Amino acid sequence: MKILQQKTTTLEGRWQMKNQLLDLLCELVQIPSVTHSNAEITVAEYVEKKLRELPYFQQNAEYLNLHQTEDNRKFVTALVKKGANEKKTIILVSHFDVVGVEDYGNWKEFAFNPKKITSLFYENKHSMPENVQKDLEQGNWLFGRGTMDMKCGLALHMSLIEEACTDAFDGNILLLSVCDEEVNSVGMRNAAPILSELSKQHDLDYIACLNSEPMFSRYPGDENKYIYSGSIGKVLPGFLCYGKETHVGEPFSGLNANYMASQLTCELELNTEFCEAVEGEVTPPPTNLMQKDLKKEYNVQIPHRAVTLFNMFMMEQSMDTVVTQLRQSAEKVARSIEQGYRKKAIRFSTLEESIAKEVNVKVLNFDELLQYALKTYGKEEVERIQANVINNRGNKDDRDVSIHLVEEFTILCKELSPMIVMFFAPPYYPSVSSRKHPRIQWVVQEMMDYAKENYNIELKKQNYFAGLSDLSYTGLQTPISSLGCLTSNMPLWDKGYSIPLDVLEELNIPVLNLGPIGRDAHKWTERLDIDNAFNVLRDMLSVTITRLLMR
């Protein structure tokens, strides 16, 4: 029998009323916690300080902690225990970092002042994009960086923690708010072992992890409302192209790596053969995130080393399948380059009455290149190159360091050129879904019914949240052994980047995402539907927790 009565909350506290939540959100947004900035640490400390003011944590100080990541940033855990013998625990996960604000242009100075920038946008609504004007006329919206993605979710979780302190739920509630979700998920990757430790220390049984990332539209103009029982996975495959050097006056004596990289981009960009479908949900096709040559300065030598990098989403296909597809595409491109080069060389030879040359392009995975280097040049030389690149990385991010490592090994093994080397750069997001988990699926249906009956909102079920999220690091849906073709082809694996795969396999926490209605994540028009967030959603999150603890 369905239980659909609307929850009534009479709790009085710091963050229970709409105006209180709005003020808390604005306080959080005013801390400009762009990923890797000092303010990212400040906001973690602020959250801990605000939670520390609650009487529960003054009496149970050991349940509220700031943790340090491997790179000296911070994340927060706050546990509210129902009783000494209660094991059932819901994790509330959020992130407090945001992307930069360069896209705000003339509005940049107000990007972290939500009340001010909202007022300005309403005053200048006729100069706003058409879809923004429509919202300004019809709803109650709050603008500003981080309002929807995802400091609203954090504010709501703080409110839920306060409610939990009043013994409102029949189980334990653990808040986890992390840094760095927008770049490499350092916070969540460091938090996974902490979750494991906390479960042992306090005898916790994690029955669900509830995220409140905002609803993401699936296509332009999408007005649907979603509830998610999983989060999409992602890999970042790259191809380093090593051609043949030559003077621009003798182009047919070499092979331009930019030409090679461009052919790979043409082959993979928006290639729907890489799309995966699960119960009517389809992954977006690959799209290029980086393409450049690796020359250090201008000269008239052709670029003979170049790289191209792609975003690729996954749901349930195996890593072996992904690697095989990528390798096949690279082989196809290699043959196309050979054929195209030969046709052009023959055509040129008829003009100059010369002999047309041919090229033969090898395709290797990074692991194959590394094994060749070990066999040919020895372990000591290979380790010297790795140590030199990693120890002198400076301000290079993980993508650039990965590329540098592959480049150095292609230079070492230049006798294999021309070649295309396939590799993976960080980050890796494992796909996660609870679409077959009985408790999660029951709660999803309960909340769809609850939203319809109490708020006349049609929630649509989605198996995978398409915006990427830290839910990816709450479990592992495939055996660790099946990821060998990923880790062996990721130059930085265990050399500056890793995921605690054994911990994820141990945790294996069912997941759910129910978040606010917002628009334009990562755009200067980012905005939050306040009425939905602090009235409808706030109630629904309490009900969701209650339902999760019933089964």
Side-chain angles (χ1 to χ4, degrees):
M1 178 177 291
K2 297 201 174 294
I3 306 171
L4 295 171
Q5 291 81 15
Q6 186 170 5
K7 181 182 176 70
T8 57
T9 302
T10 57
L11 172 66
E12 292 183 5
R14 298 168 184 264
W15 311 310
Q16 299 306 310
M17 306 302 291
K18 179 181 176 181
N19 64 317
Q20 295 174 322
L21 282 165
L22 178 59
D23 288 343
L24 174 61
L25 174 59
C26 290
E27 290 170 14
L28 291 168
V29 172
Q30 284 170 347
I31 303 173
S33 53
V34 176
T35 314
H36 292 297
S37 68
N38 290 333
E40 192 180 15
I41 297 173
T42 301
V43 74
E45 295 171 341
Y46 176 84
V47 171
E48 190 270 346
K49 177 184 175 183
K50 297 297 285 187
L51 290 171
R52 186 73 65 187
E53 294 172 358
L54 296 177
Y56 179 88
F57 291 113
Q58 292 175 6
Q59 298 165 13
N60 300 275
E62 71 277 14
Y63 289 161
L64 174 59
N65 291 284
L66 270 175
H67 307 268
Q68 203 154 357
T69 64
E70 62 198 41
D71 56 2
N72 299 317
R73 284 180 281 177
K74 296 180 180 181
F75 61 93
V76 184
T77 60
L79 173 65
V80 178
K81 289 214 71 177
K82 175 70 173 180
N85 299 319
E86 180 60 66
K87 292 186 177 183
K88 289 191 299 183
T89 305
I90 306 294
I91 301 171
L92 306 177
V93 66
S94 63
H95 69 87
F96 47 68
D97 65 314
V98 298
V99 297
V101 295
E102 296 301 321
D103 55 325
Y104 277 80
N106 293 337
W107 307 106
K108 180 180 174 180
E109 64 176 300
F110 307 111
F112 295 110
N113 188 337
K115 291 183 179 179
K116 177 66 174 178
I117 199 169
T118 298
S119 175
L120 289 170
F121 282 4
Y122 271 93
E123 289 173 10
N124 294 273
K125 67 179 181 180
H126 296 299
S127 63
M128 295 290 114
E130 186 175 338
N131 62 329
V132 178
Q133 290 187 43
K134 179 180 176 183
D135 281 344
L136 288 170
E137 291 169 359
Q138 297 181 358
N140 186 9
W141 297 86
L142 185 73
F143 290 78
R145 178 62 82 229
T147 50
M148 67 169 282
D149 186 16
M150 70 162 294
K151 289 181 177 178
C152 173
L154 171 55
L156 289 166
H157 288 183
M158 292 172 69
S159 174
L160 291 164
I161 280 289
E162 183 183 38
E163 183 179 1
C165 291
T166 67
D167 212 28
F169 302 116
D170 292 329
N172 311 316
I173 308 298
L174 173 62
L175 177 144
L176 169 63
S177 195
V178 300
C179 59
D180 193 61
E181 189 268 355
E182 298 291 1
V183 180
N184 284 324
S185 285
V186 166
M188 193 64 186
R189 288 190 285 117
N190 280 251
I194 298 298
L195 290 176
S196 179
E197 290 175 17
L198 289 173
S199 70
K200 296 177 177 66
Q201 180 182 354
H202 301 294
D203 196 21
L204 307 177
D205 177 17
Y206 298 135
I207 64 170
C209 185
L210 175 60
N211 200 353
S212 292
E213 288 274 13
M215 299 177 190
F216 266 61
S217 58
R218 298 181 66 190
Y219 50 84
D222 183 11
E223 297 286 342
N224 290 310
K225 315 296 189 297
Y226 296 105
I227 183 170
Y228 308 89
S229 58
S231 193
I232 202 166
K234 164 183 169 165
V235 288
L236 199 61
F239 299 88
L240 195 138
C241 302
Y242 195 116
K244 286 283 189 180
E245 67 273 22
T246 188
H247 190 282
V248 292
E250 298 179 292
F252 283 104
S253 293
L255 178 60
N256 195 311
N258 279 344
Y259 168 63
M260 299 169 71
S262 68
Q263 297 304 298
L264 281 160
T265 297
C266 288
E267 170 64 21
L268 268 73
E269 180 68 20
L270 303 180
N271 187 338
T272 55
E273 291 180 6
F274 286 89
C275 293
E276 180 186 2
V278 173
E279 293 186 354
E281 297 176 34
V282 181
T283 59
T287 190
N288 187 270
L289 289 178
M290 178 191 295
Q291 181 176 314
K292 63 181 179 179
D293 69 68
L294 301 175
K295 285 179 66 173
K296 302 298 189 291
E297 67 282 317
Y298 171 82
N299 57 44
V300 290
Q301 182 187 61
I302 67 166
H304 63 283
R305 297 190 303 278
V307 68
T308 184
L309 218 60
F310 297 87
N311 187 87
M312 185 172 294
F313 289 119
M314 305 168 56
M315 290 190 289
E316 297 181 2
Q317 63 182 341
S318 70
M319 194 59 64
D320 281 334
T321 299
V322 172
V323 171
T324 298
Q325 277 187 291
L326 291 167
R327 179 66 178 257
Q328 289 172 345
S329 290
E331 293 281 3
K332 178 181 176 182
V333 169
R335 304 293 81 79
S336 177
I337 290 170
E338 292 169 352
Q339 294 165 13
Y341 185 95
R342 176 168 174 76
K343 287 180 181 178
K344 292 172 183 176
I346 290 173
R347 195 172 302 134
F348 183 75
S349 70
T350 61
L351 299 174
E352 198 180 44
E353 296 182 356
S354 58
I355 298 173
K357 291 187 176 182
E358 296 184 357
V359 293
N360 296 293
V361 181
K362 297 180 180 65
V363 176
L364 304 95
N365 294 344
F366 174 74
D367 183 54
E368 293 172 317
L369 176 65
L370 186 62
Q371 294 307 313
Y372 176 88
L374 285 165
K375 182 178 180 180
T376 308
Y377 297 99
K379 182 179 179 182
E380 184 177 340
E381 177 64 8
V382 166
E383 291 180 346
R384 184 195 68 78
I385 289 173
Q386 290 173 329
N388 184 58
V389 171
I390 292 167
N391 294 337
N392 296 287
R393 65 180 292 169
N395 294 324
K396 290 181 179 175
D397 72 7
D398 286 348
R399 271 64 54 193
D400 287 330
V401 179
S402 300
I403 292 166
H404 192 187
L405 277 168
V406 182
E407 181 186 22
E408 288 299 315
F409 285 118
T410 59
I411 292 171
L412 178 68
C413 306
K414 59 183 178 295
E415 65 272 16
L416 297 176
S417 65
M419 58 180 147
I420 297 171
V421 180
M422 194 281 293
F423 66 97
F424 290 103
Y428 165 54
Y429 284 81
S431 62
V432 59
S433 178
S434 297
R435 70 185 182 93
K436 296 180 180 178
H437 194 281
R439 177 189 292 112
I440 297 299
Q441 291 310 305
W442 178 78
V443 172
V444 166
Q445 187 59 56
E446 283 286 301
M447 297 316 299
M448 290 169 66
D449 293 342
Y450 185 88
K452 178 62 176 176
E453 183 153 319
N454 291 286
Y455 297 107
N456 198 31
I457 291 175
E458 296 275 359
L459 280 181
K460 284 196 167 188
K461 179 178 73 171
Q462 288 284 290
N463 296 312
Y464 292 92
F465 175 75
L468 293 172
S469 79
D470 281 333
L471 288 178
S472 283
Y473 305 105
T474 58
L476 203 60
Q477 297 191 150
T478 58
I480 293 176
S481 58
S482 69
L483 299 176
C485 56
L486 169 76
T487 58
S488 64
N489 288 303
M490 185 176 281
L492 264 190
W493 188 263
D494 280 340
K495 295 177 178 61
Y497 178 87
S498 63
I499 296 170
L501 297 175
D502 55 339
V503 175
L504 301 193
E505 193 171 55
E506 170 198 322
L507 288 173
N508 196 29
I509 307 168
V511 299
L512 187 63
N513 192 106
L514 181 60
I517 295 172
R519 302 267 199 271
D520 295 349
H522 296 194
K523 297 181 181 180
W524 66 275
T525 49
E526 177 181 353
R527 56 199 182 276
L528 173 75
D529 183 336
I530 299 173
D531 294 336
N532 166 267
F534 298 142
N535 290 329
V536 177
L537 180 61
R538 175 59 185 85
D539 169 55
M540 289 182 63
L541 288 173
S542 285
V543 177
T544 300
I545 292 173
T546 300
R547 299 290 192 272
L548 285 168
L549 291 166
M550 287 174 63
R551 296 284 290 235

